[in-house]
Amino acid sequence: MALPDRFDPTAESKIYERWLDAGCFHADAKRSTRIGGDREPFTIVIPPPNVTAILHLGHALDDVTQDVIIRWARMKQQETLWVPGTDHAGIATQNVIEKQLATEGKTRFDLGRDAFVKRTEAFVAETGGVILRQLRAIGASADWSRTAYTLSPELSKAVREAFVRLYEDGLIYRGHRVIHWCPRCLTSLSDEEAEFEEETGAIYHVAYATSAGGGSREAGGTPSGASSSLQPPASQLVVATTRPETMLGDVAVAVNPADDRYTSLIGKTVRLPILDIEIPIVADDYADPAFGTGVVKITPAHDANDFEVGKRHNLPMPVVIDEHGVMNEGADARGRVPDFVRGEDRFAARKKIVKALQESGALVKTEQHQHNVRHCYRCDTVVEPRLSDQWFVKMAPLAKPALEGLRTGALRILPQKWEGVYTHWLENIRDWNISRQLWWGHRIPVWYCKDCDPPQNIHVSRDDLTACPACGGPVKQDEDVLDTWFSSWLWPLTTLGWPDEKSDDFRAFYPTDVLVSGPDIIFFWVSRMIMAGYRFVGRTPYHTVLLHGMARDTQHRKMSKSLGNGVDPLEVTRRYGADAMRWTLISGMGLGADIILDPNDLEKTFATGRNFVTKLWNIGRFLLEKAGTAAVRPVADLAPASLQRADHWILWRLDVAIAECDAALGPLRPVTPLDNADRVHWTESERYSGMRLNDLAETARRFVWNELADWYVEAIKSRLADGGPDAEVARAVLVHVFDAALRLLHPVVPFVTEAIWQQLPSHVEDTYLASALWPTRRASAADRGAHEFDLVRETVSALRQIRAEYAVPPGTSIAAVIVATNGTANVGRVFAEEATTFERLSRAELRVEQRAPGGAAAHAVLTGGTSLVVPLAGLVDVQKECTRLQSELTSLEKQLASLESRLGNEKFVSRAPADVVEGERRKLGEWSARRQQLREKVQALCGA
RNA sequence: GGGCGAAUAGCUCAGUUGGUUAGAGCGCCUGCCUUACACGCAGGAAGUCGGGGGUUCGAGUCCCUCUUCGCCCACCA
């Protein structure tokens, strides 16, 4: 039956269903060699997308990359597991629900905590996980029976286990300090979640009048009595600040103790403008003499550095900005927020303060200022440093083994350039603020007893507490939840059953193999998972971290919703099919390199993939129509003598393609034992090899299109049409090599390859390409027949070149003569015999002669000194041919000269590797022969 | 302010330890609807590998330097 001339992408979902029905993606722990089975396990855990997310191109990029690796491993007959799942995404999800509420004119506080959480749960249950269904549309071959969720009861239990263990080990502590606070999300953020953005702001120089006399150090925020000093009239200290509104919380100004300009003032006081109170001048190294005036105002409650200075000098810490970013008197701040700014937003207050300073003459000058301001990574609000109590994880002890793991090669990072980023971050790691003032997330497993005295009033527990374990009195659980990343850093552990280390899944599949991610979450996630792996089970969670690039638009901007420059992968899938998208992404993305796509021209952007899928489909169509579906003999059963040159050639090219694909993908895992059989490390030679998926794609494409379709298929058309035993040989070889090509291509374009493979004559019912065997190459090398076919190709190309160059009309025959010199007449016979296959295309008559015909002729010099000559009678401009020949001769002579000088160079001959020198010698011979022929040609045609 | 990366055909990119005459896709030009494919076939044009210096028999590849982009980190108010 006739197949349509294009692959129908709507068939993709049906193919996916069949894979599911056949259980192709299901992994069986029992089969893992780690628990007595006979297949090596190969595992990837998906970077869990936010449960409320919808698929965007970044996900597609990430997940297709993983799918290619997973499908490859599956075909290598590994017990292959790809764990899917979602992240509850604390802030992000809470924001979604709060936005919903806002449209109803409500806030979460109107609902109350329980109702809010219930509503969020309902929302997640109803619409959450959409992205997982979308992943099926792009072909993700995950084991859906193991779908995980960071807020599931199982994972929540594991999160508690981790918290309690760290607490018991003294690695979790409660700290009172200045943290990053988002006044919109109303929660604290980790250092990583507060992202720097460069902004143009202003820097204000404000004069603080120095009081005479020694202000008392503990003067702090309270106006220090009368400065009854006899010092000369007030001079002033000028401080520079980008945030004048915080001056209401100033408790001191600091100068560097080594700064001669100010040493005499240390211990004295200045008068804070507006509030008109005395604050001390302290000496602290934090003040940089080289910056600004060398004097810095100290606002301990609203700046992390000032906080440290305040602690060192035992200064009070008045809070003048509340959690909403509004000016209000907080702790220790009585009388510090004047009426004219009270209740004002911090930015509005800034203007008013500046104005007031201006009016009072305290504002010395204002300058434009480039600086980096931290923003909330979720809502982009400017982060407010805020003094509060938070839970922290002590990270330095966790970082050590993670650094060691990379050093010893227990894990590798691809591409290598990210190693430095990883190492630098870990070596300078800071403690991790894990509490969030949210309602959506894992509630911190800490209970406070009102009746016991601190610190005995803190109880950390794996189980919910209803009464104080110490005194039996009532307890109250910490109001905060844990940072989302506190559950995702356990992902490779928890999705496999941890803390139950005896579970089949954990024993069978941990450690996993490869972690695929974008470099933007090296700190948030990748590194922390490694730390958790070492901390909780003593082993790295994976041996390979593969970091791909980002999707960007043609202006190299990151694709994002807010910029509106995104490409919707589902739209692409609808229009061109998932395979077309997968192909375009994978083949266009070098290892770790960004991929540039044009969101305004999907047609052009995805043409590569779409065209390739169609080509593949049509090769399949040809095969089915011309070669039929009757069973074929295995290639191994064919008598070698029955194979034609073209058969030998394509089998050889297939071997080369397989070898190159294997090299592109590299080893599945490191193989060298480190200290025992369970622990392996990458050797230097393996360490940066493999995972070049674009190379896999390119190699396979070249084979199936430029070699199989362009040459082999053309070469056997007449053989197939002739029928008989030789047609059977050609059929068998065609089916064999195309089958193998489909296997090589399947990881990248799973749908179309499966659709075709199912119909191949070699197909065994109820088997799937998705779990078929990865091809291996034959032991034998290229034989003579294969090389001879290369000469046939060369001849045909030369004929076509001549035909095109002289505009020989299609359908017009040209007579070509193979002139064989150097005793290669037999090669000439090969051309005549085999190239007739292509005759219909080239409309050439081939003859073999031992001498060149006289008169004007177009020629092509072939490998081995043979020449193809086409009489030009009536066809051509002799002048033109003459010019062409001469320029060809000139360039050949130039290249020969440089080749000769190289070979004449003693150092080259003695220092270059033998094979290089030998190659150059061989080339010299070939080129010399070619030059001789060209010269003769020129002489015959052009006279002189 | 530190660190890292990039610069190769009109566009987007490959180019593994230095070693034939630097490749692909898209676009472009010419000719073809040749019975699998016009989302195709055949042929073609197009690159002083960002500039300059150096090492080497040999450099797109290694070193230095400059220029231009990009990313990450960082407590300079």
Side-chain angles (χ1 to χ4, degrees):
Chain A
M1 70 172 188
L3 292 164
D5 65 359
R6 292 184 205 166
F7 175 60
D8 174 14
T10 60
E12 291 178 341
S13 61
K14 285 175 217 124
I15 295 167
Y16 195 91
E17 288 302 318
R18 293 188 62 195
W19 285 328
L20 286 184
D21 291 345
C24 291
F25 308 152
H26 182 72
D28 184 352
K30 292 279 196 298
R31 286 207 296 230
S32 164
T33 48
R34 291 184 190 154
I35 57 173
D38 58 1
R39 283 155 64 107
E40 290 275 332
F42 187 91
T43 311
I44 293 180
V45 293
I46 200 171
N50 291 357
V51 67
T52 59
I54 55 166
L55 193 73
H56 61 64
L57 202 76
H59 297 121
L61 204 71
D62 192 59
D63 293 316
V64 168
T65 301
Q66 290 169 76
D67 198 48
V68 172
I69 297 167
I70 277 288
R71 285 178 182 273
W72 165 59
R74 192 177 288 122
M75 293 179 79
K76 296 275 270 184
Q77 306 301 298
Q78 310 293 297
E79 192 58 29
T80 306
L81 170 60
W82 187 14
V83 182
T86 50
D87 191 294
H88 68 282
I91 300 184
T93 305
Q94 176 155 334
N95 282 353
V96 170
I97 305 299
E98 287 190 319
K99 259 181 211 155
Q100 277 187 359
L101 289 174
T103 64
E104 300 162 20
K106 286 190 256 183
T107 71
R108 69 185 211 234
F109 301 100
D110 296 327
L111 262 71
R113 183 168 194 146
D114 288 346
F116 181 84
V117 169
K118 277 214 175 70
R119 174 160 175 158
T120 311
E121 278 170 354
F123 178 78
V124 165
E126 194 183 325
T127 64
V130 163
I131 190 166
L132 295 182
R133 290 193 288 281
Q134 292 175 324
L135 281 178
R136 301 174 189 220
I138 61 169
S141 62
D143 185 349
W144 302 106
S145 72
R146 287 179 166 88
T147 302
Y149 174 46
T150 52
L151 204 54
S152 70
E154 298 79 19
L155 268 65
S156 299
K157 200 177 151 212
V159 164
R160 263 198 196 184
E161 178 68 28
F163 186 98
V164 174
R165 281 199 202 175
L166 290 176
Y167 182 80
E168 286 170 348
D169 294 342
L171 294 177
I172 282 187
Y173 65 93
R174 192 162 169 77
H176 180 71
R177 60 178 69 171
V178 172
I179 44 77
H180 311 294
W181 178 267
C182 175
R184 202 216 63 82
C185 298
L186 296 178
T187 180
S188 65
L189 301 170
S190 66
D191 293 333
E192 290 73 27
E193 288 170 325
E195 297 177 334
F196 283 111
E197 278 175 37
E198 183 155 287
E199 282 183 6
T200 305
I203 187 161
Y204 304 90
H205 294 254
V206 183
Y208 289 18
T210 49
S211 323
S216 62
R217 285 194 156 221
E218 63 274 33
T222 54
S224 71
S227 47
S228 62
S229 109
L230 303 171
Q231 288 286 337
S235 63
Q236 58 186 31
L237 280 182
V238 176
V239 304
T241 179
T242 53
R243 305 196 53 204
E245 70 278 12
T246 63
M247 65 169 287
L248 301 179
D250 283 4
V251 295
V253 295
V255 296
N256 194 290
D259 191 341
D260 292 342
R261 293 172 293 180
Y262 303 117
T263 37
S264 64
L265 293 173
I266 294 167
K268 300 198 166 135
T269 63
V270 290
R271 186 157 283 271
L272 188 59
I274 298 180
L275 293 183
D276 199 29
I277 54 180
E278 297 279 329
I279 55 174
I281 300 165
V282 301
D284 198 287
D285 286 336
Y286 167 61
D288 177 359
F291 187 90
T293 57
V295 185
V296 56
K297 62 195 261 317
I298 301 299
T299 322
H302 297 288
D303 183 282
N305 296 303
D306 292 8
F307 173 76
E308 296 301 324
V309 176
K311 273 209 300 201
R312 283 198 284 276
H313 297 273
N314 201 21
L315 298 166
M317 304 192 172
V319 173
V320 296
I321 303 174
D322 70 14
E323 70 266 32
H324 299 284
V326 169
M327 308 306 294
N328 268 311
E329 287 169 10
D332 294 334
R334 187 168 310 163
R336 276 184 170 264
V337 179
D339 290 343
F340 76 99
V341 290
R342 182 173 298 138
E344 292 279 351
D345 176 79
R346 52 197 165 144
F347 299 111
R350 179 176 302 171
K351 287 186 188 146
K352 292 195 171 178
I353 297 273
V354 168
K355 195 165 165 237
L357 289 171
Q358 209 161 17
E359 282 163 1
S360 69
L363 186 64
V364 178
K365 63 174 171 177
T366 307
E367 291 173 326
Q368 266 218 348
H369 185 61
Q370 279 302 110
H371 60 150
N372 288 310
V373 178
R374 287 191 189 258
H375 290 245
C376 174
Y377 85 134
R378 274 295 152 204
C379 71
D380 208 41
T381 302
V382 174
V383 162
E384 186 62 39
R386 184 157 191 262
L387 190 57
S388 64
D389 291 315
Q390 307 283 338
W391 288 96
F392 293 88
V393 180
K394 217 178 271 180
M395 297 303 278
L398 303 190
K400 226 175 224 161
L403 283 163
E404 186 68 3
L406 181 66
R407 204 186 55 72
T408 60
L411 87 131
R412 62 173 181 170
I413 298 178
L414 298 175
Q416 188 184 4
K417 64 180 177 183
W418 294 110
E419 283 183 356
V421 173
Y422 172 87
T423 304
H424 182 262
W425 185 73
L426 285 172
E427 282 174 346
N428 299 284
I429 198 157
R430 296 195 280 170
D431 288 354
W432 177 14
N433 172 8
I434 52 170
S435 22
R436 295 291 176 277
Q437 290 64 46
L438 304 172
W439 288 349
W440 181 241
H442 301 277
R443 191 124 173 216
I444 292 178
V446 171
W447 285 262
Y448 302 96
C449 172
K450 286 184 208 123
D451 301 332
C452 299
D453 283 332
Q456 287 79 18
N457 68 336
I458 290 180
H459 301 285
V460 174
S461 170
R462 287 176 175 81
D463 304 307
D464 286 354
L465 294 183
T466 49
C468 175
C471 71
V475 289
K476 199 169 172 241
Q477 188 171 5
D478 196 299
E479 293 290 331
D480 293 349
V481 300
L482 290 162
D483 181 1
T484 280
W485 301 101
F486 193 87
S487 55
S488 35
W489 79 322
L490 304 172
W491 190 245
L493 295 162
T494 52
T495 53
L496 295 175
W498 188 85
D500 180 6
E501 295 179 32
K502 296 216 161 50
S503 72
D504 280 354
D505 269 9
F506 192 82
R507 286 160 57 226
F509 298 113
Y510 191 93
T512 73
D513 289 271
V514 181
L515 188 280
V516 178
S517 170
D520 50 334
I521 51 175
I522 291 177
F523 308 140
F524 280 118
W525 194 50
V526 179
S527 311
R528 284 176 182 157
M529 275 190 285
I530 295 166
M531 290 189 271
Y534 277 111
R535 181 71 204 177
F536 295 114
V537 299
R539 303 168 70 175
T540 177
Y542 28 73
H543 55 67
T544 297
V545 173
L546 176 60
L547 299 166
H548 54 245
M550 311 287 266
R552 298 178 185 280
D553 69 10
T554 49
Q555 293 166 56
H556 296 202
R557 297 176 306 182
K558 203 164 142 179
M559 286 190 176
S560 75
K561 230 188 278 177
S562 52
L563 280 174
N565 62 345
V567 169
D568 177 3
L570 296 172
E571 166 78 8
V572 175
T573 299
R574 268 194 300 277
R575 285 169 69 166
Y576 312 112
D579 280 345
M581 181 186 70
R582 292 170 62 113
W583 181 267
T584 303
L585 294 180
I586 294 297
S587 66
M589 190 167 52
L591 181 63
D594 288 343
I595 182 163
I596 311 308
L597 301 168
D598 187 350
N600 298 316
D601 192 350
L602 297 183
E603 186 77 15
K604 186 180 167 188
T605 303
F606 293 95
T608 311
R610 184 202 56 185
N611 296 356
F612 180 67
V613 168
T614 302
K615 183 69 185 184
L616 211 49
W617 177 254
N618 275 296
I619 297 170
R621 200 155 69 105
F622 168 82
L623 188 152
L624 296 173
E625 285 177 7
K626 295 291 188 273
T629 52
V632 291
R633 285 158 66 197
V635 161
D637 292 355
L638 299 175
S642 68
L643 298 184
Q644 306 263 348
R645 292 187 188 86
D647 303 328
H648 287 295
W649 178 79
I650 196 67
L651 289 167
W652 165 56
R653 295 313 302 165
L654 173 63
D655 285 340
V656 170
I658 292 170
E660 288 180 4
C661 287
D662 284 341
L665 291 167
L668 277 161
R669 58 177 69 82
V671 292
T672 312
L674 186 58
D675 47 22
N676 66 53
D678 284 344
R679 301 191 185 211
V680 292
H681 78 284
W682 293 100
T683 60
E684 279 312 306
S685 64
E686 292 170 335
R687 188 156 184 166
Y688 302 111
S689 71
M691 293 293 159
R692 294 192 302 269
L693 307 187
N694 58 322
D695 273 4
L696 164 71
E698 173 55 23
T699 300
R701 186 199 64 81
R702 198 199 59 225
F703 173 70
V704 77
W705 194 326
N706 299 135
E707 297 178 335
L708 201 165
D710 288 349
W711 289 102
Y712 187 70
V713 164
E714 295 303 332
I716 64 169
K717 272 181 174 169
S718 60
R719 291 167 65 192
L720 290 175
D722 289 349
D726 185 48
E728 282 308 301
V729 171
R731 280 185 69 226
V733 174
L734 174 64
V735 170
H736 174 80
V737 296
F738 190 46
D739 182 328
L742 292 176
R743 292 172 197 248
L744 293 175
L745 288 162
H746 180 261
V748 187
V749 281
F751 293 109
V752 68
T753 51
E754 183 76 80
I756 299 168
W757 194 79
Q758 290 286 329
Q759 301 187 57
L760 289 184
S762 55
H763 179 248
V764 178
E765 203 165 338
D766 291 332
T767 59
Y768 292 85
L769 180 54
S771 41
L773 197 59
W774 186 254
T776 49
R777 64 194 165 122
R778 303 170 302 170
S780 57
D783 57 14
R784 204 175 118 197
H787 287 308
E788 285 177 352
F789 190 76
D790 263 340
L791 296 177
V792 171
R793 293 170 60 227
E794 206 180 347
T795 306
V796 173
S797 290
L799 276 169
R800 288 170 176 170
Q801 239 167 349
I802 289 168
R803 173 177 290 282
E805 180 134 12
Y806 295 102
V808 180
T812 306
S813 290
I814 53 174
V817 176
I818 305 287
V819 178
T821 58
N822 312 331
T824 53
N826 58 326
V827 174
R829 275 195 290 279
V830 170
F831 303 149
E833 174 191 325
E834 189 91 44
T836 49
T837 304
F838 297 92
E839 225 173 56
R840 274 179 305 150
L841 290 177
S842 58
R843 298 255 191 259
E845 290 169 23
L846 289 169
R847 294 194 305 276
V848 183
E849 287 189 12
Q850 295 296 333
R851 55 169 183 76
H859 84 294
V861 181
L862 307 177
T863 307
T866 308
S867 182
L868 179 65
V869 182
V870 177
L872 292 182
L875 286 175
V876 176
D877 181 348
V878 172
Q879 191 62 44
K880 186 177 150 196
E881 171 68 357
C882 210
T883 311
R884 192 174 68 84
L885 283 177
Q886 264 160 347
S887 81
E888 190 177 341
L889 184 58
T890 308
S891 85
L892 180 63
E893 273 171 342
K894 208 165 126 196
Q895 277 156 7
L896 253 171
S898 92
L899 191 57
E900 273 163 354
S901 91
R902 197 178 314 163
L903 279 164
N905 186 326
E906 241 175 76
K907 286 182 179 168
F908 170 70
V909 177
S910 60
R911 295 188 195 176
D915 57 325
V916 171
V917 176
E918 199 188 325
E920 299 286 76
R921 287 224 170 91
R922 198 170 44 236
K923 200 164 62 183
L924 184 69
E926 280 173 18
W927 290 8
S928 299
R930 191 178 286 206
R931 177 176 56 183
Q932 184 54 36
Q933 290 203 332
L934 271 175
R935 279 178 176 163
E936 286 169 11
K937 237 16 101 181
V938 168
Q939 211 159 19
L941 197 66
C942 321

